[in-house]
């Protein structure tokens, strides 16, 4: 465990304990901080964020690194559409090489059964996720952030606050509505120039030819950072 990893793991555990003490009703579901085996890899500066770990599987809070890069390898979770589609999108060249040392995590590491939360519960989720995300941005110094889903982009904006300032939208992208929406923005990320790219939510994006289009678009963004 690196110094960066130990620091953010301790912070995540303290925020989880504080969230539990504040009466958040879903802490019994636990959570997870990291998906990928790399954290704050300095050569790439890329961060891929899901919304949160979902409401199933483990009921503990895990803050360690995975032994594999789950979104690239897909096993043993490839039976789930999210992981299967992620493996198809990210695990093929010319994107795979750029993604191999990216950091993979979530906008929020705390599990919820869904995002139909009360206003008070959402405020608790956002406030206890903010310090973790800010630490992640400071450790990783990402030049490109990829976030899954329109709702994921909204949650990222909400949690990041002033840590990410969204500027001009970049040309190009997917559909304006529906499953296959994707778009990107110039952004100031922890005070440095970068790009935030929103891709389709991978649980629903099953059309391979559309994922091929999205991959080609992402490759173009990688070339800009």
């Amino acid at each position: 465990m690196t110094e960066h990893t130990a620091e953010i793991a301790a912070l995540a555990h303290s925020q989880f304990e504080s969230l539990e003490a504040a009466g958040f009703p879903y802490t019994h579901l636990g959570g997870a901080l990291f998906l990928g085996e790399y954290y704050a890899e300095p050569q790439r500066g890329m961060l891929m964020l899901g919304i949160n770990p979902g409401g199933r599987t483990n009921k503990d809070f895990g803050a360690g690194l995975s032994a594999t890069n789950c979104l690239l390898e897909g096993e043993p979770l490839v039976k789930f559409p999210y992981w299967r589609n992620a493996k198809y999108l990210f695990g093929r060249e010319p994107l795979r090489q750029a993604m191999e040392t990216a950091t993979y995590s979530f906008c929020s590491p705390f599990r919820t059964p869904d995002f139909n939360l009360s206003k008070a519960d959402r405020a608790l989720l956002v406030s206890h996720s903010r310090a973790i995300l800010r630490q992640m941005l400071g450790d990783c110094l990402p030049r490109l952030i990829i976030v899954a889903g329109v709702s994921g982009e909204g949650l990222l904006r909400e949690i990041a606050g002033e840590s990410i300032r969204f500027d001009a939208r970049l040309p190009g992208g997917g559909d304006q509505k529906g499953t296959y929406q994707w778009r990107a923005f110039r952004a100031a990320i922890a005070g440095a120039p970068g790009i935030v790219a929103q891709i389709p939510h991978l649980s629903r994006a099953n059309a391979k030819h559309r994922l091929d289009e999205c991959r080609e678009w992402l490759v173009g963004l990688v070339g800009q950072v």
Side-chain angles (χ1 to χ4, degrees):
M1 182 176 284
T2 67
E3 181 180 351
H4 281 317
T5 305
E7 288 177 356
I8 199 168
L11 174 62
H13 277 295
S14 70
Q15 291 297 308
F16 182 72
E17 291 169 0
S18 177
L19 186 64
E20 188 172 35
F24 189 70
Y26 303 114
T27 52
H28 65 284
L29 297 175
L33 187 58
F34 299 125
L35 283 177
E37 59 183 314
Y38 297 99
Y39 179 63
E41 164 57 52
Q43 296 177 349
R44 292 294 179 186
M46 293 176 61
L47 181 61
M48 166 61 205
L49 297 174
I51 298 176
N52 83 341
R56 295 191 295 247
T57 68
N58 297 327
K59 295 187 178 181
D60 59 352
F61 186 81
L65 296 180
S66 173
T68 61
N69 228 333
C70 299
L71 289 190
L72 296 183
E73 306 305 330
E75 298 295 345
L77 299 169
V78 73
K79 62 183 179 180
F80 297 110
Y82 186 97
W83 303 95
R84 185 171 64 248
N85 294 330
K87 181 179 180 181
Y88 184 83
L89 176 63
F90 297 122
R92 283 165 168 73
E93 298 298 357
L95 188 57
R96 182 187 175 96
Q97 184 176 3
M99 299 299 294
E100 281 184 339
T101 52
T103 291
Y104 296 86
S105 192
F106 303 103
C107 296
S108 172
F110 309 123
R111 294 188 188 279
T112 60
D114 53 46
F115 266 92
N116 293 319
L117 304 176
S118 70
K119 185 176 180 180
D121 288 342
R122 188 177 180 96
L124 282 173
L125 184 81
V126 167
S127 64
H128 286 80
S129 301
R130 181 165 290 144
I132 301 168
L133 179 62
R134 287 179 174 176
Q135 181 73 37
M136 196 179 301
L137 295 177
D139 288 347
C140 297
L141 299 175
R143 299 183 298 278
L144 174 62
I145 296 176
I146 303 170
V147 61
V150 174
S151 57
E153 181 195 308
L155 186 63
L156 176 65
R157 289 175 181 261
E158 195 174 352
I159 293 174
E162 294 300 314
S163 295
I164 301 177
R165 188 182 73 246
F166 285 74
D167 296 324
R169 181 172 173 176
L170 293 171
D175 299 345
Q176 296 301 307
K177 296 180 180 180
T179 298
Y180 296 98
Q181 299 179 62
W182 58 81
R183 60 183 185 171
F185 298 86
R186 295 283 180 193
I189 304 171
I195 293 174
V196 176
Q198 173 256 309
I199 63 171
H201 195 295
L202 295 168
S203 290
R204 298 183 290 273
N206 298 307
K208 290 185 176 180
H209 71 285
R210 299 309 307 272
L211 292 176
D212 290 338
E213 293 173 15
C214 187
R215 185 189 310 110
E216 183 177 352
W217 173 77
L218 282 172
V219 169
L221 294 180
V222 170
Q224 296 182 47
V225 297

